[in-house]
Amino acid sequence: MQKLLTIVVPVYKVEPYIKKCLDSCLIYKTDEQGNRVLDAERMNQLEVIIVNDGTPDRSAEMSREYVKRYPQTFRQIDKENGGHGSAWNVGLKQTTGKYLRFLDSDDWLTNLDKLMEKLSETDADLVFTQLYKYMVADDEFVLFPVNGMLNQAFAVADFPYQANNDITVADFQYCTYKTALLKAYHPLFDEHIFYDDMILFIAPQLMAKTCYICDFVLYNYFIGRAGQTMDAKVQERNRHFMIQEYEKMLSFYQQHGVGKEGAPWAQHAIVSYAAQHFMPKLICLPYPQSRIEGEKLKHDLSPMTELRPRKQLKRLLKWPYWAYYLVEKIRYFKNKK
């Protein structure tokens, strides 16, 4: 029998977090006596693939206990260290579920029972759920909702991407994918590299035809740990990886995006990512280097004419680069005062 949902969990140096993560993949129900018991039916519909990416700590030993206790649901694959994207590629290849989602092993899920219920009722290609970001620094939850038509299926072409300013809305924290969409492009993720998940900013909506937005939170994103890839210092140190993955996004769009219903949405993600991560850094570079990178960015984005970009991007696309650089440099110093 095909599983309804596969969850892929990469494991590497997460000993303090792995138990909470895997506990969140257990589905419970209330029995006739009012007791909270494991929901055997739902657990049989669920597959959790743990990919041990050669972790040197006890994480893999701890996760293996779940395979022993719940063999109908959990299985573990041990491999040499190849990085986050490598673990995801292994999980994607091995998945047997109709639907697929990724769960990083320092994060956790809530309302998994609700997701399973929705997946049994819909045949949508993409199923979106809401996200909590759990901030280490101030111990607060911050809700980042997906806006749009709740609890109904609709065409990808009708997705209100302009109302969803978070450019990662098709990324794994928000989205459950129909497995066949991604499996056709295996290996989808780059290996031995940071930011390997960026391809999910555009690939799912180019492959999909229908989507569904749920009204409940599923993913809890633990952010703020020192050394995380989203740490500002780590991002600056690994900027070359961000550029490499950005270029992969462009290449994938150029190869697969023409004529697709989700093309405007994918363009929005590409342009927004460039505006957020690359354009602010152009002004901090010496002019000769800035012009080289700026002209390349201009060349990449200029074909995406159906979008209505922000004023700063319009200036980049329409003005001579020296004029754009001068105006943005003045604005930069004014804002610093």
Side-chain angles (χ1 to χ4, degrees):
M1 181 183 73
Q2 183 188 31
K3 298 283 188 174
L4 178 61
L5 172 66
T6 296
I7 301 174
V8 174
V9 183
V11 171
Y12 186 78
K13 288 186 177 180
V14 285
E15 192 173 325
Y17 314 104
I18 187 63
K19 184 179 186 303
K20 184 173 186 177
C21 173
L22 296 181
D23 278 349
S24 75
C25 296
L26 301 175
I27 305 174
Y28 293 90
K29 66 178 181 178
T30 303
D31 66 12
E32 294 178 355
Q33 289 73 41
N35 299 314
R36 187 168 178 262
V37 297
L38 207 64
D39 189 334
E41 182 181 354
R42 286 300 190 200
M43 291 292 288
N44 283 331
Q45 295 176 317
L46 176 66
E47 174 183 53
V48 180
I49 299 178
I50 303 162
V51 183
N52 167 25
D53 191 36
T55 185
D57 64 1
R58 292 183 59 253
S59 300
E61 179 184 339
M62 294 169 68
S63 61
R64 200 170 286 113
E65 288 300 313
Y66 288 80
V67 179
K68 294 177 182 177
R69 291 170 62 188
Y70 313 104
Q72 80 279 19
T73 300
F74 290 81
R75 60 188 175 110
Q76 182 157 315
I77 300 171
D78 299 311
K79 59 182 286 296
E80 294 183 359
N81 179 255
H84 188 267
S86 171
W88 274 13
N89 280 331
V90 168
L92 176 59
K93 184 177 181 179
Q94 294 292 325
T95 180
T96 65
K98 175 183 177 182
Y99 285 96
L100 167 69
R101 76 164 301 119
F102 299 99
L103 171 62
D104 278 350
S105 43
D106 54 353
D107 301 330
W108 67 97
L109 304 177
T110 50
N111 298 312
L112 182 54
D113 56 334
K114 291 184 179 180
L115 177 66
M116 294 292 285
E117 182 178 355
K118 290 295 183 184
L119 296 182
S120 67
E121 297 170 349
T122 185
D123 193 48
D125 294 324
L126 306 177
V127 178
F128 295 94
T129 45
Q130 310 298 324
L131 168 71
Y132 269 129
K133 287 188 178 180
Y134 183 72
M135 314 299 290
V136 175
D138 52 15
D139 200 35
E140 291 183 358
F141 285 100
V142 182
L143 177 63
F144 286 77
V146 183
N147 298 304
M149 298 169 279
L150 294 176
N151 301 318
Q152 58 181 297
F154 54 92
V156 163
D158 296 328
F159 186 87
Y161 61 87
Q162 295 285 8
N164 286 276
N165 293 321
D166 190 333
I167 61 172
T168 67
V169 75
D171 200 11
F172 71 100
Q173 290 108 340
Y174 293 102
C175 196
T176 300
Y177 316 96
K178 190 172 280 186
T179 301
L181 298 180
L182 302 186
K183 208 164 188 176
Y185 296 93
H186 180 274
L188 180 63
F189 306 104
D190 286 339
E191 303 185 4
H192 299 285
I193 192 173
F194 290 98
Y195 313 111
D196 51 87
D197 62 315
M198 280 173 53
I199 191 62
L200 295 177
F201 295 179
I202 67 163
Q205 58 266 47
L206 291 179
M207 302 299 105
K209 293 188 179 299
T210 56
C211 53
Y212 188 104
I213 303 177
C214 301
D215 61 359
F216 56 86
V217 172
L218 179 77
Y219 202 99
N220 297 274
Y221 182 25
F222 187 50
I223 189 170
R225 288 193 297 116
Q228 274 186 317
T229 55
M230 296 312 294
D231 183 290
K233 292 181 180 178
V234 175
Q235 283 191 358
E236 186 58 36
R237 187 168 64 245
N238 295 300
R239 184 167 175 264
H240 59 292
F241 289 136
M242 299 180 77
I243 293 173
Q244 182 176 330
E245 289 303 287
Y246 172 75
E247 290 176 346
K248 178 176 179 175
M249 286 168 59
L250 280 172
S251 176
F252 191 94
Y253 176 82
Q254 291 162 357
Q255 186 176 357
H256 303 290
V258 178
K260 293 295 179 67
E261 293 178 355
W265 181 4
Q267 288 186 9
H268 174 75
I270 292 170
V271 171
S272 297
Y273 191 85
Q276 178 176 324
H277 290 283
F278 297 148
M279 290 180 63
K281 294 180 175 64
L282 289 176
I283 307 307
C284 301
L285 298 174
Y287 178 74
Q289 184 182 355
S290 176
R291 180 171 182 175
I292 292 172
E293 295 199 20
E295 292 288 1
K296 183 181 185 306
L297 192 62
K298 187 174 181 177
H299 176 268
D300 291 338
L301 301 182
S302 58
M304 302 182 185
T305 54
E306 58 190 279
L307 294 175
R308 290 172 292 178
R310 62 189 70 177
K311 291 181 180 179
Q312 183 187 10
L313 187 53
K314 285 183 178 179
R315 288 194 287 269
L316 174 66
L317 295 178
K318 295 184 177 181
W319 291 9
Y321 191 78
W322 67 266
Y324 166 81
Y325 184 85
L326 178 61
V327 169
E328 293 301 322
K329 198 77 169 179
I330 294 171
R331 293 177 70 246
Y332 173 78
F333 282 113
K334 282 185 176 180
N335 291 333
K336 284 190 70 175
K337 292 181 180 179

